[in-house]
Amino acid sequence: MSTDISRRQTGAFVPESRGWPRGPHGTGPGDTPAIMLDFTLIDASVRPNGFAPSGLVLGKVNGTPNVYGQYDPAASDGRQVAAGLLFSSVSTPASIATTKVGGALFVHGFVDDTRLPVKTGTKGILDAAAKAALKLIAFG
């Protein structure tokens, strides 16, 4: 397993869409902890443009030092509990099967939940259980 912290463009350029935070609270230096994003745990349907979008609901993988994947209420590896939102978009690595990519986790602040990127399905969506788990984030 390798770790890749470089940025690369794999598709057409799409500007960052971070309209979901409702102000700067929780976005300052030191507010968004560094994480490793496991792209094998993120559905291809949420990253059609070559990146995982900011605002994606994430869960922490049990038994790993700092690895996160797409929140999935049906998972049994720890991702069934929402841990935060992906703070900035992260490019899909060249080799998804063997690479984890560095990112940042939004864990407290104010969020406009109508502007989060995933609105349908069950994985990565902000459902009632995810809202309850994310106690330091005010949604509305």
Side-chain angles (χ1 to χ4, degrees), residues 37-91:
L37 196 58
D38 185 340
F39 270 81
T40 64
L41 301 174
I42 299 176
D43 288 349
S45 64
V46 301
R47 49 184 173 80
N49 296 317
F51 61 88
S54 71
L56 181 65
V57 182
L58 301 177
K60 185 178 183 307
V61 179
N62 289 336
T64 63
N66 199 24
V67 177
Y68 291 76
Q70 186 175 0
Y71 165 70
D72 181 357
S76 60
D77 62 359
R79 294 178 301 121
Q80 68 274 19
V81 177
L85 307 176
L86 184 60
F87 181 60
S88 294
S89 299
V90 176
S91 297

